[in-house]
């Protein structure tokens, strides 16, 4: 066995062992993630972002998409769950995540090398059942590319994976590249008033419902005149998973050990700055 092949085998087996430990950890049932931003949570059916579904946050840059996603991640962390963030633009700002309540020890950041690998990476993470919330940022592609639009086939795979894995998948999309078929919330900054959130697509109803989230509710740190970006992350060692060949077709039996579980276990992740290379897989 070559040195590269041996490295691949050791890395993948380490990830598999970690997921096996997470499967065995005790946890309580979780149906929805409440961000703690009251106006936003009340807009959603059930009073929170539902697990097992795909929810799209669609809007311009600086419209609050990422801030709401980080609040959802922080909510999962408060419940002792794990989350993953597929960072298309490669610009997730760690101090902002910490300021929003994100626990660095429970967040896996994935940065694929090409736009084509963004949706595929998210499917693997969601389908694993190990993460209560997975964020997929499609607002821009890797290496300065434009907004990434999902194909209908990719959208269907993501929705199927969320339903099977029981995870919440949050899509962050740009106006010119909306998603297809999933619940869509349009975000829009309203000058000094706050953030407007409108339900523009939902199978549960409520289309046209709108909420105004005051900036202070989204960024409570601003009330005291302090910057929300002041916190620093602890040092973390980057973890790279080498490229693996894709499977042509995965059998349902291959995932029997994880599909019937609820996501997000209690064990901490080893590093915030974990990065998966092209075609990386969790199992």
């Amino acid at each position: 066995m070559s040195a590269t092949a041996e490295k691949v085998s050791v890395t993948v087996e380490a990830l598999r062992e970690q997921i096996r430990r997470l499967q065995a950890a005790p946890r309580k049932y979780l149906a929805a993630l409440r961000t703690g931003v009251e106006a936003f949570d009340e807009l959603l059916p059930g009073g929170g972002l539902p697990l097992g579904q795909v929810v799209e946050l669609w809007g311009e840059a600086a419209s609050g998409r990422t801030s709401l996603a980080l609040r959802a991640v922080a909510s999962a962390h408060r419940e002792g769950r794990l989350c993953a963030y597929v960072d298309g633009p490669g610009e997730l700002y760690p101090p902002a995540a910490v300021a929003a309540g994100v626990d660095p020890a429970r967040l896996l950041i994935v940065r694929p090398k090409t736009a084509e690998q963004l949706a595929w990476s998210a499917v693997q993470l969601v389908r694993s059942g190990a993460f209560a919330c997975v964020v997929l940022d499609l607002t821009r592609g890797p290496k300065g590319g434009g907004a990434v639009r999902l194909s209908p086939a990719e959208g269907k795979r993501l929705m199927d994976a969320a339903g099977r894995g029981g995870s919440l998948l949050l899509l962050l999309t740009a106006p010119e590249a909306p998603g297809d078929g999933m619940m869509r919330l349009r975000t829009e900054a309203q000058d000094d008033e706050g953030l407007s959130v409108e339900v523009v697509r939902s199978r549960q109803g409520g289309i046209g419902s709108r909420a105004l989230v005051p900036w202070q509710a989204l960024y409570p740190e601003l009330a005291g005149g302090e910057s929300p970006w002041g916190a620093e992350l602890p040092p973390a060692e980057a973890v790279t998973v080498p490229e693996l060949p894709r499977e042509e077709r995965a059998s349902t039996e291959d995932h029997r050990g994880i599909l019937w579980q609820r996501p997000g276990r209690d064990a901490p992740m080893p590093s915030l700055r974990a990065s998966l290379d092209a075609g990386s897989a969790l199992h």
Side-chain angles (χ1 to χ4, degrees):
M1 180 182 293
S2 67
T4 301
E6 184 176 357
K7 184 178 179 181
V8 170
S9 177
V10 169
T11 304
V12 172
E13 184 55 38
L15 291 173
R16 285 175 174 162
E17 177 59 29
Q18 184 177 356
I19 288 180
R20 282 194 286 266
R21 292 200 317 269
L22 297 175
Q23 295 286 353
R27 74 278 183 191
K28 67 179 182 180
Y29 177 77
L30 188 64
L33 295 177
R34 293 170 175 80
T35 65
V37 180
E38 186 175 350
F40 177 73
D41 291 340
E42 290 179 350
L43 185 66
L44 302 166
L49 291 160
L51 272 71
Q53 295 189 34
V54 181
V55 178
E56 177 185 7
L57 298 175
W58 175 58
E60 300 280 356
S63 65
R65 300 168 304 196
T66 303
S67 295
L68 287 170
L70 291 177
R71 292 280 174 175
V73 170
S75 173
H77 288 169
R78 288 193 296 271
E79 298 292 339
R81 308 305 177 94
L82 303 178
C83 298
Y85 198 109
V86 183
D87 188 9
E91 296 178 349
L92 178 64
Y93 188 49
V98 172
V102 171
D103 179 359
R106 294 181 182 274
L107 180 64
L108 175 70
I109 295 180
V110 181
R111 287 184 172 134
K113 291 184 176 180
T114 68
E116 291 75 19
Q117 293 157 352
L118 291 171
W120 185 87
S121 299
V123 167
Q124 309 312 309
L125 293 163
V126 173
R127 193 170 61 181
S128 76
F131 304 95
C133 178
V134 175
V135 180
L136 173 56
D137 189 345
L138 300 173
T139 56
R140 287 197 302 110
K143 301 178 181 178
V148 178
R149 184 159 192 169
L150 297 173
S151 69
E154 288 174 325
K156 185 177 186 305
R157 282 195 290 270
L158 287 168
M159 288 188 286
D160 288 346
R164 287 173 173 268
S167 302
L168 165 66
L169 175 59
L170 280 177
L171 291 183
L172 307 185
T173 59
E176 66 271 24
D180 184 33
M182 60 279 296
M183 180 179 184
R184 180 183 298 162
L185 305 175
R186 183 164 64 92
T187 61
E188 183 178 4
Q190 299 291 317
D191 298 324
D192 294 335
E193 297 181 24
L195 170 67
S196 171
V197 183
E198 180 185 4
V199 180
V200 296
R201 174 182 287 165
S202 174
R203 295 180 180 178
Q204 289 79 26
I207 295 176
S209 301
R210 186 192 300 265
L212 181 64
V213 178
W215 292 123
Q216 184 175 334
L218 196 57
Y219 306 110
E221 297 85 355
L222 298 178
E226 300 176 356
S227 169
W229 322 128
E232 293 294 335
L233 285 173
E237 180 182 354
V239 177
T240 299
V241 178
E243 181 175 355
L244 296 176
R246 299 191 188 186
E247 297 179 1
E248 292 296 325
R249 184 174 182 178
S251 167
T252 301
E253 295 297 322
D254 293 340
H255 307 288
R256 175 164 301 212
I258 57 178
L259 293 182
W260 298 347
Q261 302 289 337
R262 298 305 301 174
R265 289 13 180 207
D266 298 335
M269 295 296 296
S271 168
L272 172 66
R273 298 189 184 94
S275 174
L276 298 182
D277 274 349
S280 303
L282 291 178
H283 56 86

